[in-house]
Amino acid sequence: MADINIPSSPIRKNDSAYQIECKFALEPSLTRLFEKARSAGWDPQHIALAVAALGWELLVDQRDRMQCEGCGIEH
């Protein structure tokens, strides 16, 4: 996978420029992943849905971990 550029500034909620910069940074790696999955025989629509679902699951897991810090529950 390609290196991913770091953000040019701290997280800015609801800033479309930050979101565009993040998308630009991730695009080469995701394109390679998508092409590898297609080459393996996966359907493009299912690839896109799987990537979106995995992204959502990672986000929810990270949120849960942050909310549970110090609560004594291991993830």
Side-chain angles (χ1 to χ4, degrees), residues 1 3-5 16 18-19 26-27 46-47 50 61 69:
M1 290 252 171
D3 289 335
I4 297 175
N5 294 335
S16 62
Y18 187 86
Q19 182 63 36
L26 296 177
E27 189 271 334
H46 287 89
I47 298 166
D61 186 55
E69 285 181 3

Side-chain angles (χ1 to χ4, degrees), residues 1 6-7 11 19 22-23 25 27-28 30 37 43 69 72:
M1 290 252 171
I6 62 171
I11 295 173
Q19 182 63 36
C22 182
K23 184 178 172 183
E27 189 271 334
L30 283 173
D43 172 71
E69 285 181 3

Side-chain angles (χ1 to χ4, degrees), residues 1-66:
M1 290 252 171
D3 289 335
I4 297 175
N5 294 335
I6 62 171
S8 62
S9 62
I11 295 173
R12 303 177 306 258
K13 291 186 179 187
N14 302 319
D15 183 346
S16 62
Y18 187 86
Q19 182 63 36
I20 291 168
E21 182 180 359
C22 182
K23 184 178 172 183
F24 183 77
L26 296 177
E27 189 271 334
S29 295
L30 283 173
T31 297
R32 277 194 218 69
L33 176 63
F34 189 88
E35 291 304 320
K36 286 177 106 174
R38 282 192 68 192
S39 294
W42 291 100
D43 172 71
Q45 182 175 350
H46 287 89
I47 298 166
L49 291 171
V51 169
L54 288 168
W56 180 256
E57 290 168 11
L58 289 169
L59 179 65
V60 168
D61 186 55
Q62 181 182 16
R63 182 202 62 202
D64 291 347
R65 286 174 189 257
M66 290 177 69

